[in-house]
Structures are given as C-alpha cells and as structure tokens.
Amino acid sequence: MAMATSPHSLLLQNPNTQFLKNTKIPFTTIPMTSTRLTLNPNKAISVKCSATTTHIQDRPPAQPQSQDRVFNFAAGPANLPENVLLKAQSELYNWRGSGMSVMEMSHRGKEFLSIIQKAEADLRTLLNIPPEYSVLFLQGGATTLFAAIPLNLCKPDDKVDYVVTGSWGDKAFKEAQKYSQPKVIWSGKSEKYTKIPAFEELEQSPDAKYLHICANETIHGVEFKTYPNPKNGLLIADMSSNFCSKPVDVSKFGIIYAGAQKNVGPSGVTVVIIRKDLIGNAQEITPVMLDFKIHDENKSLYNTPPCYGIYMCGLVFEDLLEQGGLGEIEKKNKRKADLLYNAIDESKGFYRCPVEKSVRSLMNVPFTLEKPELEAEFVKEAAKEKMVQLKGHRSVGGMRASIYNAMPLAGVEKLVAFMKDFQAKHA
Amino acid sequence: MAMATSPHSLLLQNPNTQFLKNTKIPFTTIPMTSTRLTLNPNKAISVKCSATTTHIQDRPPAQPQSQDRVFNFAAGPANLPENVLLKAQSELYNWRGSGMSVMEMSHRGKEFLSIIQKAEADLRTLLNIPPEYSVLFLQGGATTLFAAIPLNLCKPDDKVDYVVTGSWGDKAFKEAQKYSQPKVIWSGKSEKYTKIPAFEELEQSPDAKYLHICANETIHGVEFKTYPNPKNGLLIADMSSNFCSKPVDVSKFGIIYAGAQKNVGPSGVTVVIIRKDLIGNAQEITPVMLDFKIHDENKSLYNTPPCYGIYMCGLVFEDLLEQGGLGEIEKKNKRKADLLYNAIDESKGFYRCPVEKSVRSLMNVPFTLEKPELEAEFVKEAAKEKMVQLKGHRSVGGMRASIYNAMPLAGVEKLVAFMKDFQAKHA
C-alpha cells in the first residue's frame, strides 16, 4: 500500500466490491494526476485516468441483490426478513460504533447486555408476557427442552400427559420417559397426524403435573387454533414452528418454548418463557445447563450464550414490532395461507392437502400431487424459478411449503401462479 | 423511489452507509442537473449539487473501518480475524449466489452440507486429526460437556480423576459428581491457581476411567505446555481457550473439546473431537442432546445445529490454513505473549504476573499493578486509546489481556507501549 502515500494516488472505494476485498487490498488504488469529469445524469459516471477506469453505475431503484434472492420455503432454518439481513450486514463488522462485531463482544460487556435486554423487552412487548414469567435465551433447540422440562418439573415418579399430534410431540414424549412417567393421552398417528383432538374428549391422568402439546407440527402441518385448559396440571407448549406468528395468551401456559430458526432468528437459540414459580425444583441428575434456575438467576448469562443468534432474534423482534405487532403479523400469515390452501382446494384434486381444514397450519403447508410421479418435476421446475426447498419431509413425502413470518406475500403469489401453470401443463 | 426514474436524478451509492439503509431507501438519491467536478489528488472529492453534498473521501491505506475498530482483549467471545469478518459481511445477505443467507439455509440442504463438511475437513487438516476420531459440532459450551463426558464414558460408580488448575477445571469436577465418582488428584487452589503440577507427582486412582484437565485456564492464565500420559484411563482435555492456538497431538487424547468463542468462531458452537470407540455407552439418563452416539450417527445434524456459528468457524479454519497452519500460528502467539510478559517482567515490579513462568498462558495474560489503586485508571485510560476489556475476571481482580489467535501483533505492541507510558507517568 505504499502507493497510497504518494500525492499522485487517489483511493476510491468501489461500493460493489468493498466486502470482497481482504485486508490486504481493501481499495482500488488509482495512480493519477489531475482529472476533470462531467456528471451526466443519464449516464454512468466514469473516472478516467491513466491506469484504469472506475464506474459508479446508475442503479435501478430496487435492492442491489434482491433480484438474486430466492423464495425459500424451507421448514427451518428459514428465510429472514430482508431488512433484518441488510441491517445485520451493515453492522457485522462494527456494531454501532462499538469498534467490534457483535460476534466479538464479551457477553458481560455493556454492549451485549444492551442487546439481550432489548431483545427480551421487545419480546415481552410482542407477546404481552406477564411479569411473573421469565424469558430465557438458551441453546440446544427444542430437543434439549424435551429433557429439560420433565427434569425441571417432575420427580421420576410423576405422571405427565402428552397429546401427540405429529413427530415432534412424539419425540418430546419419548424423551420424557427418561425422567418421568409420561402418558400419551391422544395420538393422531393412526390418521397420519392430520388432526387435532377435541379438547373435551381428552382424558387426563388424575394427578398429571402437566399436559404437553406441540402447538404446530412442522412436518405434518397441523396447528392448534385454540388451546386446551388442562384439568390437571400445567399447559406446556412447544411453539418452535409458530412462535410469534400470532398473538398468544401467555398466562394460559406454564412454559412456552421455541427454537428460533423458524420465525424469529437463526438456529442455535432456544427461547423459553416460564412461569417463575415453576423454577427451582430440578432433579439432582439435571445437567447444570438444563437447569432453568441457573439460567434464570444468571439472566441467561451463566455461561457464554449464543450471542449473535440472540442479537439476530432481537432484530427480528424489532421488525415485528415495526410491522405493528403480532395481530398484524397474523393477518399477513392468514392471507398467505389462505391463498395457498385455496389454490390447493380449487385444483380439483390435482393438488391435495391431507390435513383437516380446521387445523391446517398457517406456517407449514404439506401437499401431494394426484400424480405422484410428477412430484420430482414439480420441485425441479419450481427451483428453476427460484422457489426452493419445496420437497416434503422424508417421512411424509409430497411437497411442503413453509411460509413463516418472513415469507413475503409475493413468494406465495409466485408459488400459486406456478402451481396453476404446472397444473395446466400436466392436467 | 419515484425520483430514481427522473432523468434529473442520479443514484450514488454511499459506500459508508449502504448497509445502514433498509429495503425502502437503499441509495442516496440526489436530484441534480449537470455538474462538473475536478479531482485533486490531495483533497477529498466533493460532488456538489442543489440538494446535498456527497463526499468521496480520500482515505488512509488501512481498512475502511479499521480506524474505528478497537483492540479487544476480552476473554471470549473475543476478536475475530478482520478478513473473516469482512468475508462474512460480504456473504451475509446472499451466500455465494445461493440466493440466501447462511442463516436461512436448511441444515439438510446441499449448501449447508458443503459448509459443515468443509469446516470439518479443514479442522482435520489443521489438527491432523486421525481417522479414528469423530469431529462433532455441538451446542451448550464446555459447560454442557462437563456433564456429557461422564454421562457418555462412565457408569455412576466409575472412578475418574481431575487435575484442577483453575476455575474451569473445578467446575468440570463438580458437574462430574452427578454422574460418576470423580476425585481431584491435584489442585492449584492453595497457590491461587498459578501452577501446573509435575506429571510424575500425580497419583491417579487405580481404576480411573479418565484423567481430565483444562488445557488452558482462561481466568487464571495457566497453560499446560506438554500433556501427561495417564497411568490409568484416557486423557480428556477442555481446550476451550487454547484450541487451535498451536499444534496438538490428538492421538494422545480420548476427547478434546472446546467452546468456539475464543480462537475459532462466535459463541454457540462447541467442537468435540472424540475417539470413535468411546462412543455408544451413554448412561440411560443421558438427554438425547448430550449423547455423542446420536450426534456421531447423524454427523452433527440430529436436530438443527448452530449453522451460522459453524459457518463462521469454517471461515476461521480456512484463515488459519491460509496463514500456514498451527505451527505458524503458534509462532505468532509466542511472539505476542513474549512481548507482553517481557514488558511485565521488565517493569521492576510496577506490573506483576502471578503465574509461574514456565506455565504462563499464551492466550490469557493476567497481571496486577504494584499500586492497585491505579488499576481502574489503567483500564479507563486504555479504553480511551481503543484497547478494551482489560479488566481482570471478577474472581481474580487486576487486569487480564486475552491475546487469542485473532489479536494482531499491533494490538499487543500498542498495549505494551501504553503500559510503558502509564508506568512512566505513575512510577
């Protein structure tokens, strides 16, 4: 970089490539004497000099990279709001003048404390979380909670009830067998997990400590539209795949928990909302990292938390508030889901959704083709049009379109148009 | 953005603020007619127009934001290599033409699989990991491993030995009490954790399943320079704070584990290197997420892993290889540490490092001032000069400079110069 010290060199930072540079060649260095140039508003500006030509291009009004983005229908990790990603990108190298990336911050420094505290405050506002509930930012996904919940709430002989409406509820039940006496009081397995039970039919264990549900089954696409009032014990919900997709009355629950990677952030963060009086009774065999008391006493900072993931969740919470809160989000989600389910139902059987209409998920829309031999082509052709991750879960087959909060309406509209075209070609 | 379509408007992307824009206002829009400007190589270029003035500044040869960056001496999360951060920033919104951020990718999609597989391959190259060892990318930090290790390797009655050279080794021992019969066979506590024992003095339990050490104590600044050969059982090491800071003979160990947030990435990823024959014997009470067999069989993809963190670790591994591997890294780390320890030792007692010279950490350098009343001023004055997080751990006091792989030599040189100045002022 000795050239930079020459009076005849001018450093011009190229906005299109600045982040592709490594530390050794951060700028385009143009040796030059004096140059005159005229700006013509109808043309790109060009800086002519002896060594090279640098263009500052006239640009279209859209985001520079929007055209290159795909519509990502993955079940999670899933798409994040574009403005959240752009904000994260702008701050990645140097967060708000702190001189460091969020990834470099001490979790006990004032900068990160401000991030985690704001994330919690915004989540409390979004979900109107009562003060008698703690909010914890943990690691290990919902799968870790499958163990942590019975370990924290039960003695080994305690009875607990599970309603199993899909694969995730089933996994939660199986893990609870290690630390309690769980019972499946209803299972949708025989009907391929396409239903939610009528609550009045549920027969709970007489002295159950809690009733566990999975509020939205990501793989099977069934979603609780209202929630049961357990006759015995607490209501506990795994909300991983519909967390913050609509308003929820938190006060009905003992614990709500969710992996972040569907609606509110990247993978690696698990949000737990727990009524404070349930904290502090973990079994002796509970690993310290699964003990809610430890995390509650230390405000999620007992050991190093997943700082960057928590930061990203915070940006998403901010964005959800800016959109008007979860009431508005629910309206958007309903509109998107209606559009897609209507397209399926109006296809005269070309597309089919196996889930009972009243409990169809607003988040995960599984569907099959009347002619299964076309499914691979459907997925392939959609991918050509930049709609990806539409293949159904390997345990179910068919297709699945996950349309979480961050999926724009335009993505669903494009998918529906594609589905109609595809049907017209193959009907 | 209607203005952008006017023939009298010109879009100029401001390289300093482009990422601060949200999707609605991505560019600075300057209504203008025709403008002439002359480039003078000794001055900033200014584009004058009726609405505003945009400066394309002449810049120093360093990174555009380097001047704003601090030297971050935090113990972890800690600084990351600048070129890794810049690469991550360039790819955050759209990873290598995939149309999505790494944070949005399905962990089972081909894009993320290529990321995790390359991360593992590069780590295997860096540490020359033998094929009979598995590499796992997990969650929950070393603290989760404190439980997982005895749960996976022991029956509840099995004896295991712990050498306790600082706070982290002590925490590991305490957690092991829940799942095995651990014994502290040596403790540095009475000497304030300033020593590492002579290996020939260690008396192991006759039938110990393993000997656990913490290879580098982050808080106390003591580091194993060589490793013991256990007379009984395996050698297990928590290498959280010196992982990938120097070459290691992996074949001497049963398990090496490390939280990523010191030397190789952001927080939220725990790397486990485990001899394959040790996998598959977990106690029945082991949470599924703490069972190495589950993660090994599923190549760290049993549930959704911390994808973005693994991606960042992969970028760091690439960078370490590009620097010439861990032999070169160790040379750089020794040079930095020598510089700092020499400054302390040559200060005639103004600065003091309590750690025995032969086992001083290359990573974490604790020191005190002869006049403790000056410590707060030291920290404050250093922060003014953009050297932050120098305060010692609350349990030890004094100062601590953590100088992991990503701390540039220039950071240590600046600290040493500051220390000399500070001494001159206050001696």
Side-chain angles (χ1 to χ4, degrees), chain A residues 60-219:
Chain A
Q63 265 304 321
Q65 290 167 302
S66 272
Q67 302 297 25
D68 303 317
R69 296 263 301 172
V70 295
F71 288 119
N72 176 7
F73 293 92
N79 48 345
L80 289 163
E82 284 209 3
N83 57 332
V84 165
L85 288 174
L86 289 168
K87 187 164 192 185
Q89 188 172 40
S90 77
E91 301 183 333
L92 188 139
Y93 182 69
N94 188 342
W95 181 81
R96 302 180 196 180
S98 65
M100 60 181 96
S101 174
V102 173
M103 287 186 255
E104 302 176 297
M105 289 175 183
S106 168
H107 56 300
R108 304 198 189 281
K110 65 181 189 301
E111 295 89 354
F112 183 71
L113 292 181
S114 76
I115 288 172
I116 193 171
Q117 285 162 2
K118 182 165 193 316
E120 178 178 338
D122 284 351
L123 180 61
R124 284 185 176 276
T125 304
L126 274 173
L127 280 167
N128 196 18
I129 300 173
E132 61 268 27
Y133 285 72
S134 285
V135 173
L136 308 175
F137 294 101
L138 307 181
Q139 296 185 62
T143 307
T144 300
L145 271 289
F146 296 166
I149 286 168
L151 276 167
N152 278 271
L153 301 189
C154 300
K155 295 189 174 55
D157 289 339
D158 281 345
K159 288 177 182 155
V160 290
D161 291 337
Y162 281 72
V163 170
V164 175
T165 54
S167 296
W168 291 104
D170 185 53
K171 284 192 178 187
F173 160 72
K174 283 175 177 150
E175 186 75 346
Q177 291 179 312
K178 295 177 187 166
Y179 316 108
S180 61
Q181 305 299 320
K183 184 181 174 185
V184 175
I185 62 165
W186 188 92
S187 168
K189 191 173 183 185
S190 63
E191 295 176 283
K192 295 187 175 171
Y193 296 126
T194 54
K195 294 193 172 148
I196 299 280
F199 302 149
E200 61 275 13
E201 286 170 16
L202 293 177
E203 280 199 32
Q204 274 198 262
S205 307
D207 44 5
K209 296 278 273 191
Y210 64 75
L211 172 65
H212 182 280
I213 62 168
C214 177
N216 183 76
E217 284 282 355
T218 322
I219 294 173

Side-chain angles (χ1 to χ4, degrees), chain B residues 199-348:
Chain B
F199 302 148
E200 60 277 12
E201 287 170 17
L202 293 177
E203 279 199 32
Q204 273 199 262
S205 306
D207 43 4
K209 296 277 274 191
Y210 64 74
L211 172 66
H212 183 279
I213 62 169
C214 178
N216 183 75
E217 285 283 354
T218 322
I219 294 173
H220 299 92
V222 290
E223 181 174 18
F224 282 77
K225 300 299 175 181
T226 58
Y227 294 106
N229 288 307
K231 293 179 199 90
N232 303 305
L234 309 155
L235 182 61
I236 311 270
D238 173 2
M239 287 194 187
S240 291
S241 53
N242 67 353
F243 189 60
C244 287
S245 69
K246 58 184 178 184
V248 168
D249 180 358
V250 172
S251 71
K252 286 190 72 168
F253 297 82
I255 300 175
I256 290 170
Y257 63 103
Q261 70 274 14
K262 317 287 186 180
N263 273 309
V264 299
S267 59
V269 181
T270 320
V271 182
V272 176
I273 301 168
I274 179 168
R275 224 175 63 199
K276 288 180 180 173
D277 63 300
L278 304 176
I279 296 170
N281 303 304
Q283 294 183 29
E284 280 182 17
I285 57 163
T286 307
V288 66
M289 284 297 288
L290 272 64
D291 187 342
F292 296 145
K293 183 163 183 263
I294 295 286
H295 294 296
D296 186 49
E297 286 175 350
N298 291 279
K299 297 182 182 301
S300 305
L301 299 170
Y302 173 69
N303 73 339
T304 318
C307 298
Y308 197 73
I310 292 169
Y311 156 75
M312 287 299 302
C313 289
L315 293 186
V316 173
F317 297 152
E318 257 181 23
D319 179 65
L320 295 174
L321 285 171
E322 280 167 15
Q323 287 186 58
L326 299 186
E328 289 304 310
I329 298 299
E330 182 180 30
K331 282 184 207 162
K332 292 181 186 176
N333 286 331
K334 277 188 173 163
R335 188 168 165 204
K336 290 185 286 176
D338 282 349
L339 197 62
L340 185 47
Y341 285 117
N342 286 343
I344 292 167
D345 292 342
E346 290 163 5
S347 72
K348 298 181 181 163

Side-chain angles (χ1 to χ4, degrees), chain A residues 11 19 36 59 89-90, chain B residues 11 19 36-37 59 89 267:
Chain A
L11 293 170
F19 293 106
R36 296 179 70 168
R59 281 172 171 283
Q89 188 172 40
S90 77
Chain B
L11 293 169
F19 293 106
R36 295 179 70 170
L37 87 176
R59 280 172 171 284
Q89 187 171 41
S267 59

